[in-house]
Amino acid sequence: MQKAQEQGRTIDPDDLDDQSLFQMIRDDRSVRSLTAREIQKENASDGGNSDQENRNEGYDNEPADRRMSRAGAPDDSDYNNPNNSDFNNPDSREANGTNSRESSSPQDRESANPDNREFLSPENRERLNGEDRESGNPRRQSERRERRPENRPPPRDQNQPATSSLKNPYPGLSSTKDLYRQFPSQEARLQRFGASIFIHGTGNTDLLPMDLPAGPDYILGPGDGLFINLWGSVSQRFKVTVDRGGQIALPEAGGVMVAGQTVAAAQQLIQKVLSAQFKNARIDISLTRLRTVRVYVVGDVAQPGAYDLSSLSTPLNALFAAKGPTPQGSLRILRHFRGNQLVGEIDLYDLILKGMLLDLDRLQPGDSILVPPSGAQITMAGMVKRPAIYELRNEKELAEVLDLAGGLLVSAALRQIKVERIEAHEKRVMLSANIPDNADANPAALRQALGNFAVQDGDRVTVSPILPYSDSTIYLQGHVFRPGKYSYHAGMEIAEVLRSYQELLPEPAEHAEIVRLTPPDYRPRVIDFKLGDVLDGEDPIVLEPFDTIRIFGRYEIDAPKVSIYGEVLRPGEYPLSDGMTASGLVRMAGGFKRSAVTSEADITSYVVQNGEQVRVQHATLAIAKALAGDSGADFLLKANDVLTIRQLSGWKDVGTSMIVKGEVLYPGTYGIEEGEKLSTLLKRAGGFRPMAYPEGAVLERVQVRQIAEKSKLQLIQQVEMAGQNTKSPISASATDQAALLASVSAQQEQLLSTLRRQPASGRLVINISDHIEKWQNSVNDIELRAGDMLTIPKKPNFVVVTGQVYNSAALTYMPGMSARTYLRQAGGPTEMANKKDIYIIRANGSIVGRGGNRSLWEGNTLSTTLRRGDTIVVPEKLLGGSQAWKNVIDSVQVVSSLAIAARVAVSF
């Protein structure tokens, strides 16, 4: 499509079916070349196929231009090129390197596709055929016969010639779709008639059967083998061969000359000779082996030379063996010479058109077959049954040439027969055949008019088609059961096309229209009508040719709709039917859900005031009464009304639950009510067990996890951006700068890996103790939410030291000991430790900075007294970078440490 538009041609996408595409590829050489280039691009982008794939694909792997040359004869342009002597010779095209596969060796091409051996040179082809025969490989021979591609186009109605669609300003109008078509001005390139018989015909003469019957008129010669059956007084069977002298050796009788005699005459002669030796003996002879004869095929043939053929062969067999005539060779004259004597002339059109060849002499040794240059040629294009290039012999009149082309199609325009003629060596002229007006009704007059038009060499006869549309047609489209074309007659009314509502699809719109093309320029105008009036017979509209009746559905154009939302089974938009009410809309939406307020509903209506503005009205309906049948409580809906069915208050909290795990008396899943507190749930769960450690309780909330996941993604982006903006000091040497940037990059990758690997924590920090009454109804007694999960760990007996220390480990808890003591037990900070920013994560998830209190980043951290389950974090020293980079890294380390502390709390 794109290439056609670039070349100034318009193609209707609806016309691009498989049949039309094949026709374009076959008839248009430019399209064929474009297809070949696209296939080569596709092969190049795929990186090529393996040998096994090539073997599987077979013929489909050939380039498109080679496929087309195999599928049919050359087009007419090739016959005007004197240098194109090798069109029918695949070996020449192979040698010229016309495609990307020519670089491979003949062996490779044969292994990729056995069918491709016909494109090899004669030497390689003979070598491969010989290998098959010697190895007794019938599979490869049968494969070539079975896989020979037909490559014929799909059947096409010749009376429907291909047309191209121009840009239609009214693409939705059926009548203009037919009218905006034209026959292509660029005529298709035609093939030479009869040349395809040698392309599709058998070329594997080595596989032809040699057991053809020889009649009694067969003339014997040296090399023929005979079986002689003798019966009567003696029974004997023996085999003899005609020697170079033309004799056969008979027992008890010697040599007998049989060369030059027919089989019947030789049988009589042998009977006579043997009767003298064997009394009352009868004989019968039969051929066991046919001799070969060497003949010479010369002239304008694809592969001239000497050929050894069966003695039963005719000149036509020899021509097939030589691959037929070249594009310059004649198909009408095939001369058979024996010495300097002309045996006969053969017209191949008798075989191609009539299917018979009479009185063909069999070949004798030394015979020659001559194909002279072609005679006069004429091109028959357009609406004939066999468009092609025809060679003339005795044809002088246009009628005779039309007979060769199969005659005219019924869709041919008799008064549009154009002849482009070449006045020899001077100029081209355009002529028209003079066809009388009554020719279509008088075949004799038509034949006489065509017979009076003389043709000559180089003529191109084009028979144009009739117009692609009918001027006695109307069109029906839209919301009907049977859209399409209908016949038209004068005075026709629309009621003859639309008889009743049964012709229409359900719920047609009242508005309909006729699009009329007004002559003489067929400019469209629209005639509106009411569909009901036409069907009732109140508006008889008279139709005109090319009228398009357009019927619309009720919901096609500016369809009236109403909406229902809220607690119904199928909320959404619905088409507004006549008389629809609010109760009817509820029923159409499937009725109420269990969560619906069934007594009342909210309705919103839109009213247009004075045709200038829209006013919104709200109202409350007693929907329960309306559904019960109270028409006074119901509401008649208008277009765009919105009905809302409310939800019961607190319905979203029905069925909500949370999980309690760990050291409680009754762990499990508990249903919760709106506003329920943590203390209440713990009492329902039986309270804490003796080994419970409420100070390290972990409460995970879905909403907190979602926020943490979002923050984690943002933090990853900040790390990536901050690492890209890292710069080394200007005063540093190049070596130091490189080392610093490498260290920062490694640190960045490590932090990103840690962030991506750790799942987001949904932990909510809570402060509770084992005495529930002390913190009940305080700020620490938080409200619960659906999906919460509370884990009460066992009382830990350790303190965790992690980060940049020499021995990250869980150390035994010692009451009253400070962080400095535990840090010393872990081996102390490493050289990469950031000693100034050491912090503590309490068992409940809160952070203690450099102070002994709970505030973040204040006071002396190492002097803080630790509790059970606390975690000391020694962060990593930052390697250069900006302050923004340092802040980001601090955040990453804190988030990572919090995740570790949460996992530790619920794991022990």
Side-chain angles (χ1 to χ4, degrees):
M1 291 288 294
Q2 181 181 358
K3 295 293 184 182
Q5 293 174 358
E6 293 175 357
Q7 297 172 4
R9 294 186 291 175
T10 303
I11 299 177
D12 190 350
D14 295 338
D15 295 337
L16 291 181
D17 54 3
D18 293 343
Q19 182 177 348
S20 61
L21 284 174
F22 194 100
Q23 185 76 15
M24 292 169 62
I25 295 174
R26 189 186 69 177
D27 296 340
D28 194 330
R29 192 174 187 180
S30 61
V31 176
R32 194 156 60 243
S33 300
L34 176 62
T35 305
R37 288 196 298 270
E38 293 298 325
I39 292 176
Q40 291 172 357
K41 289 180 183 177
E42 202 64 29
N43 291 339
S45 63
D46 291 341
N49 291 331
S50 65
D51 289 342
Q52 182 63 37
E53 290 172 336
N54 290 334
R55 284 193 293 271
N56 292 338
E57 291 176 3
Y59 175 73
D60 292 335
N61 270 347
E62 293 183 9
D65 51 353
R66 181 179 292 174
R67 286 195 219 169
M68 297 311 300
S69 68
R70 294 185 64 191
D75 55 55
D76 55 350
S77 64
D78 298 302
Y79 291 97
N80 297 325
N81 183 0
N83 297 324
N84 191 16
S85 61
D86 59 349
F87 185 91
N88 281 334
N89 187 354
D91 305 328
S92 302
R93 293 198 301 276
E94 194 75 21
N96 292 336
T98 56
N99 66 68
S100 60
R101 297 173 60 191
E102 265 57 29
S103 60
S104 60
S105 66
Q107 294 87 343
D108 293 337
R109 290 193 295 273
E110 168 57 20
S111 65
N113 185 1
D115 289 341
N116 283 344
R117 68 175 63 195
E118 64 182 275
F119 294 104
L120 302 178
S121 63
E123 297 80 5
N124 288 326
R125 183 166 61 248
E126 181 62 28
R127 176 185 59 76
L128 293 171
N129 290 337
E131 289 177 1
D132 286 349
R133 290 193 298 269
E134 292 173 4
S135 61
N137 189 355
R139 182 187 65 81
R140 296 181 68 179
Q141 299 176 9
S142 62
E143 259 187 355
R144 296 203 304 277
R145 292 196 300 271
E146 293 171 0
R147 296 177 60 189
R148 179 179 296 126
E150 293 295 336
N151 203 10
R152 295 189 179 95
R156 180 185 181 93
D157 186 1
Q158 288 182 299
N159 290 304
Q160 298 292 334
T163 59
S164 58
S165 296
L166 299 181
K167 185 176 181 181
N168 185 359
Y170 314 100
L173 198 58
S174 300
S175 56
T176 57
K177 184 178 180 180
D178 281 351
L179 291 176
Y180 275 88
R181 289 180 176 272
Q182 66 177 190
F183 299 109
S185 59
Q186 182 180 1
E187 298 173 348
R189 298 188 180 276
L190 299 177
Q191 303 171 352
R192 186 187 186 194
F193 179 73
S196 60
I197 191 174
F198 298 100
I199 296 177
H200 297 302
T202 178
N204 48 343
T205 55
D206 56 318
L207 300 180
L208 291 177
M210 301 305 293
D211 55 352
L212 300 175
D217 59 344
Y218 176 76
I219 299 176
L220 298 174
D224 284 339
L226 298 176
F227 260 126
I228 301 178
N229 294 318
L230 186 64
W231 78 94
S233 60
V234 63
S235 178
Q236 191 175 354
R237 187 170 186 236
F238 50 90
K239 180 180 179 181
V240 295
T241 302
V242 182
D243 60 20
R244 293 180 181 272
Q247 294 184 342
I248 60 174
L250 297 177
E252 308 295 338
V256 177
M257 177 66 70
V258 295
Q261 299 198 38
T262 63
V263 173
Q267 180 170 336
Q268 294 178 0
L269 178 60
I270 295 172
Q271 173 77 45
K272 181 179 179 181
V273 172
L274 292 181
S275 295
Q277 304 297 328
F278 304 100
K279 300 296 184 180
N280 298 323
R282 301 294 302 273
I283 71 161
D284 184 34
I285 67 173
S286 60
L287 285 169
T288 62
R289 178 183 179 277
L290 295 177
R291 70 183 184 276
T292 59
V293 295
R294 172 159 291 189
V295 297
Y296 303 91
V297 185
V298 294
D300 289 289
V301 291
Q303 296 179 3
Y307 290 88
D308 292 328
L309 304 174
S310 164
S311 56
L312 293 176
S313 299
T314 65
L316 186 60
N317 300 118
L319 185 60
F320 266 101
K323 304 299 182 184
T326 65
Q328 292 77 31
S330 175
L331 291 170
R332 303 298 303 270
I333 301 176
L334 176 64
R335 294 192 175 99
H336 179 193
F337 287 96
R338 187 163 294 152
N340 58 359
Q341 180 183 1
L342 179 62
V343 179
E345 288 187 351
I346 301 171
D347 185 354
L348 292 180
Y349 276 23
D350 289 340
L351 171 64
I352 301 171
L353 294 175
K354 303 175 183 177
M356 59 183 182
L357 285 174
L358 302 177
D359 300 330
L360 288 183
D361 292 295
R362 290 192 176 123
L363 296 174
Q364 296 293 331
D367 284 1
S368 59
I369 309 300
L370 173 65
V371 178
S374 64
Q377 290 184 341
I378 183 171
T379 301
M380 296 298 298
M383 306 309 292
V384 292
K385 294 182 179 178
R386 287 190 294 264
I389 301 170
Y390 291 89
E391 182 180 347
L392 305 182
R393 189 175 186 185
N394 299 318
E395 294 82 10
K396 303 295 183 182
E397 302 171 353
L398 181 57
E400 296 174 323
V401 181
L402 280 172
D403 290 340
L404 295 179
L408 296 170
L409 295 171
V410 296
S411 56
L414 296 180
R415 294 166 189 81
Q416 292 291 331
I417 301 179
K418 300 174 290 186
V419 180
E420 183 180 355
R421 176 163 294 173
I422 300 176
E423 293 188 358
H425 315 297
E426 292 185 5
K427 60 181 179 179
R428 295 179 183 268
V429 295
M430 288 296 299
L431 305 174
S432 296
N434 186 15
I435 306 298
D437 293 339
N438 63 342
D440 51 351
N442 190 344
L446 175 61
R447 180 77 183 184
Q448 181 178 359
L450 295 174
N452 292 336
F453 192 93
V455 295
Q456 64 184 43
D457 187 15
D459 281 358
R460 182 181 181 91
V461 180
T462 303
V463 182
S464 300
I466 59 177
L467 294 177
Y469 63 86
S470 171
D471 57 1
S472 297
T473 304
I474 61 170
Y475 303 84
L476 178 63
Q477 68 179 56
H479 202 71
V480 293
F481 280 109
R482 292 183 287 268
K485 299 180 182 180
Y486 288 80
S487 65
Y488 168 81
H489 61 83
M492 184 177 185
E493 295 184 357
I494 192 172
E496 298 181 44
V497 181
L498 299 175
R499 295 178 175 83
S500 67
Y501 279 99
Q502 294 180 351
E503 308 281 344
L504 310 177
L505 296 177
E507 293 192 270
E510 182 65 17
H511 168 78
E513 62 188 26
I514 297 174
V515 182
R516 177 162 295 171
L517 303 182
T518 307
D521 60 350
Y522 293 108
R523 183 176 304 170
R525 66 186 181 93
V526 178
I527 302 174
D528 297 324
F529 66 92
K530 291 185 177 181
L531 184 61
D533 293 346
V534 169
L535 295 177
D536 294 339
E538 299 177 1
D539 188 8
I541 301 177
V542 179
L543 299 175
E544 298 290 341
F546 300 114
D547 278 357
T548 300
I549 305 171
R550 306 178 77 172
I551 307 299
F552 303 100
R554 175 181 175 85
Y555 307 109
E556 279 186 55
I557 302 175
D558 195 19
K561 295 182 180 181
V562 291
S563 304
I564 181 171
Y565 300 108
E567 302 307 299
V568 289
L569 293 179
R570 294 186 294 272
E573 290 186 343
Y574 288 86
L576 175 64
S577 57
D578 291 338
M580 178 181 280
T581 62
S583 60
L585 181 58
V586 171
R587 294 188 181 96
M588 188 175 292
F592 297 124
K593 291 182 178 179
R594 290 184 297 110
S595 57
V597 174
T598 59
S599 58
E600 294 180 340
D602 182 82
I603 183 73
T604 301
S605 293
Y606 301 87
V607 180
V608 179
Q609 288 185 335
N610 302 324
E612 297 179 352
Q613 63 178 358
V614 176
R615 185 169 62 87
V616 180
Q617 295 178 342
H618 301 284
T620 300
L621 303 178
I623 194 66
K625 294 182 179 179
L627 288 170
D630 187 352
S631 58
D634 213 341
F635 184 85
L636 184 64
L637 297 176
K638 301 185 296 297
N640 301 319
D641 282 358
V642 177
L643 180 63
T644 302
I645 305 301
R646 300 164 178 157
Q647 187 182 71
L648 291 171
S649 177
W651 180 262
K652 289 186 177 180
D653 296 325
V654 174
T656 57
S657 63
M658 67 167 290
I659 299 174
V660 181
K661 300 167 59 178
E663 298 302 306
V664 293
L665 192 59
Y666 308 115
T669 302
Y670 288 84
I672 59 175
E673 61 179 327
E674 184 179 4
E676 185 170 358
K677 300 294 186 67
L678 179 59
S679 59
T680 305
L681 179 66
L682 286 172
K683 289 181 179 180
R684 291 168 58 195
F688 300 115
R689 297 182 62 190
M691 290 299 296
Y693 187 57
E695 289 80 1
V698 177
L699 178 63
E700 294 181 280
R701 181 161 289 176
V702 175
Q703 294 81 358
V704 176
R705 183 178 294 108
Q706 293 172 349
I707 295 173
E709 182 65 32
K710 185 176 180 181
S711 300
K712 170 186 166 183
L713 295 177
Q714 293 176 349
L715 191 57
I716 290 175
Q717 294 178 354
Q718 291 176 5
V719 172
E720 291 173 344
M721 295 180 61
Q724 295 173 358
N725 298 329
T726 301
K727 297 181 181 179
S728 58
I730 301 176
S731 59
S733 63
T735 303
D736 294 339
Q737 290 180 0
L740 179 61
L741 292 177
S743 301
V744 171
S745 178
Q747 191 176 50
Q748 179 189 19
E749 290 299 325
Q750 180 184 0
L751 294 174
L752 287 174
S753 176
T754 302
L755 274 177
R756 293 187 177 113
R757 187 174 59 252
Q758 289 179 344
S761 173
R763 184 175 187 179
L764 185 64
V765 177
I766 57 176
N767 294 307
I768 61 176
S769 64
D770 52 354
H771 299 289
I772 298 177
E773 292 77 9
K774 290 184 178 180
W775 51 269
Q776 185 176 10
N777 296 325
S778 67
V779 294
N780 294 324
D781 194 7
I782 63 173
E783 291 185 2
L784 302 176
R785 295 287 185 270
D788 284 354
M789 184 169 66
L790 177 65
T791 303
I792 306 298
K794 290 185 177 181
K795 188 175 296 183
N797 57 354
F798 58 84
V799 170
V800 177
V801 183
T802 185
Q804 292 299 319
V805 294
Y806 285 102
N807 183 23
S808 296
L811 304 177
T812 302
Y813 171 71
M814 295 177 290
M817 292 297 178
S818 65
R820 182 177 289 103
T821 303
Y822 291 104
L823 184 60
R824 193 177 295 115
Q825 291 182 10
T830 65
E831 294 181 356
M832 291 296 297
N834 184 2
K835 301 177 184 178
K836 297 181 179 179
D837 292 332
I838 296 174
Y839 55 93
I840 298 170
I841 301 177
R842 292 292 191 187
N844 64 357
S846 61
I847 298 177
V848 177
R850 290 177 295 180
N853 52 23
R854 295 180 183 270
S855 61
L856 186 60
W857 313 125
E858 295 180 0
N860 188 353
T861 303
L862 295 180
S863 61
T864 303
T865 301
L866 296 189
R867 305 166 188 166
R868 295 176 182 270
D870 287 354
T871 300
I872 303 174
V873 180
V874 181
E876 183 180 356
K877 185 186 298 182
L878 302 181
L879 301 175
S882 62
Q883 186 61 42
W885 167 251
K886 295 179 180 180
N887 294 336
V888 170
I889 298 303
D890 284 339
S891 301
V892 172
Q893 292 180 349
V894 171
V895 169
S896 176
S897 300
L898 286 172
I900 293 173
R903 289 203 303 272
V904 170
V906 298
S907 300
F908 291 91

